[in-house]
Amino acid sequence: MPPSTRHGRLLPLFLGLFQGVLLLFFALFVTYDEPSVQAEDTNLVANQVSSTFPFFQDIQVMLVVGLGLLLTFLPRYGFSALTHNFLLLNFSMQWALVLQGLLHHFHHGHIHLDLHKLLISEFAAVTVLISVGAILGRASPCQLLLMATCEIPVYLASEWVIVTGLGVLDVGGTITIHVFSCYFGLGVSKALFRATQQPLHPKETPTARSDLVSLVGTLILWVFWPSFVAVLCQPGDAQHRAILNTLLAMSAGAITTVVASSLLERDGKLSPGHLQNGSLAGGVAIGAVADMAMPPVAALALGSLSAAACVLGFRFLSPLLGRKLTLHDQCGIHNLHGLPGILGATASAVAVLVASKDTSASHPSQLSPAGGNASEVVEGQWEGRGAGGQALRQAAGLAVAVGASLLAGLVTGAALRLPCLARPPERLCFDDSLYFKIQDQAESPGPDSSAEEGALALKE
């Protein structure tokens, strides 16, 4: 069966079955809270919606538009990058909503849905959107959906261990989201492609137009990133600090990216790939310390360091990992999420030690997945063990995130090698024509048409 035909049959079958089961689950177990007759409760709900929904909208724009456009740097894979990103967001969010409801919110036979639960589920979906960057263009939609199916429960388990079990401070998801998703994606890539060196594909090289569209996605992410970091902070001083620290870190990161990229190129010109990723590195790193009462210069320094690490990673580390470990990382998620994430986790341990005398910097302000204040979970541990104990917990959380994600990613990547998942042949990688009916090609087929490519691929 040709790859396009197999994909055309598997994808609607997989999604149709998933949505049908989900409809039945929602009909039986999911409901809304009863409307309150008390004026105080009504005002409380109204205040929660008015304070949370603007952040929620910003995050939606980030994930659907910003991240989608960022992935269009592959010139012949734009339709697929945007659509698969949008599909995975909706699929993963619904799957996470079900699992979160069963784990944390299943009471008296029902799950009561609200905006906070939807937001937490969307954060879980972010891990999938980041992880797929490692194998973008070389995996079929069915493989990506299976990857999301496996990643979400592992993320929820590791996030519970890190935040609730260990009491790690990570309001912006530096450890629980960025580090976890990075090494999960790299584990999937390593197991999926094994020890095979992936040669440069002729359709893999970005063009000026695709890089420009991708850079627009970076700018959208840059503008809305403070909402992603601050949304789970307690309203008030902590949320205010998180917004300010994120803006400072990302501003310093943007300038440092230009400096580092220009210095690393022989002719002093800028690399579009460096700009697309390095400008966002400060937002990744600042998440673990964003709500802490630290001096503004610390946010600027962390943003600059993370951007420099990201650019250096693209210039030196990625080629080295490709040669020595045959590690394929299509979007460079290790440079944007892994290295800045490790820097942010290290900074959080240092910040705890330095600011141990300042109680406002010592206690977390993060809202937990269950809907409560995470400070209630770890405040007693923090006061009992002091700054040293909390710093060790930060390091332990990083170790858990890296170890659990790598192991789960390797297992998931091995599962993605199943022939029934219709992995695209090498000749048809990075090409929209395998998944979309492209109007221009349909009207004026030429010697490079998708039909002939498919025939050649099957011959090979």
Side-chain angles (χ1 to χ4, degrees):
M1 186 183 296
S4 57
T5 304
R6 193 188 310 171
H7 160 262
R9 293 180 181 178
L10 276 178
L11 185 61
L13 178 63
F14 189 103
L15 288 176
L17 181 62
F18 168 79
Q19 199 65 68
V21 172
L22 205 72
L23 283 170
L24 180 61
F25 179 85
F26 268 64
L28 295 175
F29 302 111
V30 181
T31 184
Y32 296 118
D33 290 328
E34 293 293 331
S36 177
V37 295
Q38 299 291 331
E40 295 81 2
D41 294 339
T42 302
N43 292 333
L44 179 61
V45 172
N47 290 335
Q48 289 175 342
V49 172
S50 62
S51 62
T52 304
F53 191 63
F55 288 109
F56 185 83
Q57 285 181 306
D58 291 351
I59 296 170
Q60 290 280 83
V61 175
M62 284 180 64
L63 301 181
V64 176
V65 185
L67 183 57
L69 291 178
L70 179 64
L71 299 177
T72 59
F73 66 94
L74 298 169
R76 298 186 61 176
Y77 202 69
F79 283 109
S80 302
L82 277 167
T83 306
H84 295 164
N85 178 74
F86 185 53
L87 174 63
L88 285 169
L89 172 62
N90 287 280
F91 176 89
S92 303
M93 183 183 66
Q94 293 186 50
W95 177 224
L97 198 62
V98 170
L99 295 180
Q100 279 276 20
L102 292 174
L103 290 173
H104 299 295
H105 311 294
F106 194 74
H107 303 295
H108 307 295
H110 284 92
I111 299 170
H112 293 268
L113 189 62
D114 59 27
L115 186 59
H116 178 75
K117 297 181 181 67
L118 198 63
L119 177 64
I120 294 298
S121 299
E122 191 143 295
F123 269 59
V126 173
T127 61
V128 176
L129 303 186
I130 294 172
S131 296
V132 298
I135 58 174
L136 185 72
R138 294 186 184 270
S140 69
C142 292
Q143 287 178 307
L144 299 181
L145 290 172
L146 179 60
M147 178 176 171
T149 304
C150 298
E151 182 171 3
I152 292 295
V154 180
Y155 162 75
L156 295 177
S158 69
E159 194 263 356
W160 185 89
V161 170
I162 293 170
V163 174
T164 305
L166 295 175
V168 172
L169 312 183
D170 187 24
V171 68
T174 296
I175 301 171
T176 55
I177 294 178
H178 294 286
V179 171
F180 174 89
S181 57
C182 167
Y183 289 100
F184 185 93
L186 295 180
V188 169
S189 176
K190 183 63 179 177
L192 179 60
F193 304 120
R194 292 184 179 175
T196 306
Q197 181 73 38
Q198 297 297 321
L200 184 66
H201 198 281
K203 302 172 188 174
E204 192 176 350
T205 305
T207 63
R209 183 177 180 180
S210 65
D211 269 335
L212 179 61
V213 176
S214 181
L215 186 57
V216 172
T218 295
L219 298 179
I220 293 172
L221 287 167
W222 193 95
V223 169
F224 290 107
W225 203 288
S227 295
F228 182 86
V229 174
V231 65
L232 290 182
C233 291
Q234 286 287 354
D237 290 339
Q239 198 167 68
H240 188 211
R241 282 197 302 269
I243 293 172
L244 294 177
N245 285 331
T246 305
L247 286 171
L248 290 175
M250 298 198 71
S251 180
I255 293 177
T256 305
T257 298
V258 173
V259 174
S261 180
S262 180
L263 291 176
L264 287 174
E265 297 297 328
R266 292 180 180 177
D267 53 5
K269 296 181 180 180
L270 301 177
S271 166
H274 295 166
L275 291 175
Q276 292 157 6
N277 294 276
S279 303
L280 303 174
V284 174
I286 199 66
V289 296
D291 60 334
M292 296 184 183
M294 59 184 186
V297 68
L300 289 170
L302 184 57
S304 295
L305 285 174
S306 58
C310 179
V311 174
L312 290 171
F314 273 102
R315 185 68 174 82
F316 299 109
L317 187 58
S318 289
L320 180 66
L321 293 177
R323 290 194 307 268
K324 300 298 183 180
L325 301 180
T326 62
L327 185 62
H328 178 76
D329 183 6
Q330 185 62 47
C331 295
I333 62 173
H334 188 241
N335 306 315
L336 176 54
H337 302 277
L339 297 179
I342 293 173
L343 271 176
T346 305
S348 69
V350 173
V352 164
L353 292 173
V354 171
S356 59
K357 296 180 181 180
D358 186 352
T359 56
S360 64
S362 304
H363 293 166
S365 63
Q366 179 179 358
L367 297 178
S368 71
N373 189 344
S375 62
E376 297 174 358
V377 178
V378 300
E379 184 172 345
Q381 299 174 348
W382 167 251
E383 292 177 345
R385 298 182 184 179
Q390 185 61 41
L392 288 175
R393 285 196 288 274
Q394 298 297 114
L398 176 63
V400 170
V402 174
S405 59
L406 265 178
L407 180 60
L410 290 169
V411 175
T412 302
L416 296 188
R417 297 183 62 86
L418 292 172
C420 62
L421 296 176
R423 177 182 166 186
E426 183 65 20
R427 184 178 177 85
L428 296 181
C429 289
F430 310 108
D431 200 327
D432 287 326
S433 62
L434 185 59
Y435 309 112
F436 287 86
K437 183 178 180 180
I438 308 298
Q439 193 64 30
D440 292 342
Q441 293 180 357
E443 291 176 355
S444 56
D448 194 33
S449 65
S450 60
E452 183 169 339
E453 284 191 344
L456 290 173
L458 290 175
K459 272 188 178 181
E460 293 174 359

